[in-house]
């Protein structure tokens, strides 16, 4: 019999959490927030919106109606942690949006191939459960790859948990993990801020879009493009 997928996911999550806590190397605490460092042309300013980070984009501008980010009552690390979460969720959502559409529309991605370890069909919301049921080992490898990537990101940007919990390093810019294989990173602070705004805009839109795709398939369990009247053969 196949292992219970929910029990398997809980066990993997617990294991990765324990590994993550031990993955940091010991290092001295960085300088205090009062002596904020300049990172990619940005220096923390508690008197500015989100500490002066890029992202106040027209037409909404300084949009934070719930005052989730309130620099006057938060530390620099707290502000950077919120931006880190936004950037990372935006990046995942951008990949997820492409995954929803491509995974349902392109024939090689909906059958057994070098990308998918088993045949999948139907709405994208059900694809992961199909893989867990048919190829649990492949799912474990997938989760481990994500876990190791997250551990590496934490090692780059976060203070070791035995020194401080939920604290970003003083010399770390939210989302800047040094991954730039195509060499497209801007050279000037102004250009960097512009690209950061573009990434945030696309990431925010993708988060809303993916939430809509997921909800749509829950309400009406058919593929997104089929729901719009677009047949898979046209895309393929």
């Amino acid at each position: 019999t196949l292992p219970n997928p929910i029990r398997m996911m809980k066990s993997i999550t617990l294991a990765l959490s324990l590994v993550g806590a031990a993955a940091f190397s010991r290092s001295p605490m960085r300088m205090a927030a009062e002596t904020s460092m300049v990172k990619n042309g940005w220096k923390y300013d508690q008197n500015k919106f989100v500490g002066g980070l890029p992202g106040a984009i027209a037409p909404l501008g300084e949009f934070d109606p719930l005052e989730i980010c309130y620099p006057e009552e938060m530390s620099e690390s707290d502000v950077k942690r919120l931006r880190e979460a936004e950037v990372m969720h935006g990046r995942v959502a951008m990949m997820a949006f492409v995954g929803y559409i491509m995974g349902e529309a392109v024939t090689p991605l909906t059958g057994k191939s070098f990308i998918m370890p088993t045949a999948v069909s139907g709405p994208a919301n059900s694809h992961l459960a199909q893989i867990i049921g048919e190829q649990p080992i492949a799912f474990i490898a997938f989760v481990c790859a994500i876990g190791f990537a997250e551990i590496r990101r934490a090692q780059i940007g976060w203070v070791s948990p035995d020194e401080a919990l939920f604290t970003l390093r003083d010399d770390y810019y939210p989302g800047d993990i040094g991954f730039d294989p195509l060499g497209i990173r801007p050279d000037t602070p102004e250009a960097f801020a512009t690209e950061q705004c573009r990434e945030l805009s696309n990431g925010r839109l993708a988060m809303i879009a993916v939430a809509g795709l997921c909800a749509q398939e829950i309400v009406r369990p058919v593929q997104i493009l089929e729901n719009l009247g677009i047949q898979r053969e046209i895309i393929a």
Side-chain angles (χ1 to χ4, degrees), residues 25-177:
S25 59
R26 294 187 60 87
S27 61
M29 285 295 290
R30 309 285 179 171
M31 62 182 63
E34 288 76 9
T35 55
S36 177
M37 303 174 66
V38 177
K39 299 165 281 288
N40 294 324
W42 168 74
K43 183 177 176 64
Y44 179 70
D45 185 346
Q46 68 175 10
N47 297 316
K48 292 184 178 180
F49 183 69
V50 295
L53 282 165
I57 305 167
L60 297 179
E62 298 181 356
F63 183 77
D64 185 15
L66 301 180
E67 294 188 348
I68 296 175
C69 183
Y70 200 66
E72 293 183 0
E73 297 181 2
M74 302 170 68
S75 68
E76 177 181 352
S77 178
D78 291 335
V79 173
K80 292 198 300 183
R81 184 156 49 90
L82 290 175
R83 173 51 58 85
E84 173 89 351
E86 181 181 21
V87 170
M88 291 302 171
H89 281 82
R91 290 172 180 172
V92 171
M94 286 187 279
M95 291 188 289
F97 180 83
V98 175
Y100 259 92
I101 303 302
M102 298 296 288
E104 292 181 351
V106 181
T107 302
L109 295 182
T110 59
K112 189 172 183 180
S113 68
F114 70 95
I115 296 177
M116 301 295 284
T118 186
V120 294
S121 60
N125 280 2
S126 66
H127 288 183
L128 186 60
Q130 293 178 51
I131 294 175
I132 294 174
E134 296 295 330
Q135 295 285 346
I137 302 302
F139 173 72
I140 292 174
F142 174 67
V143 173
C144 287
I146 295 175
F148 287 128
E150 284 296 284
I151 289 171
R152 181 56 184 157
R153 177 173 70 90
Q155 289 176 319
I156 293 172
W158 296 70
V159 173
S160 176
D162 62 357
E163 298 177 1
L165 294 176
F166 309 115
T167 302
L168 290 175
R169 299 182 185 276
D170 289 338
D171 60 354
Y172 176 70
Y173 185 91
D176 186 6
I177 58 175

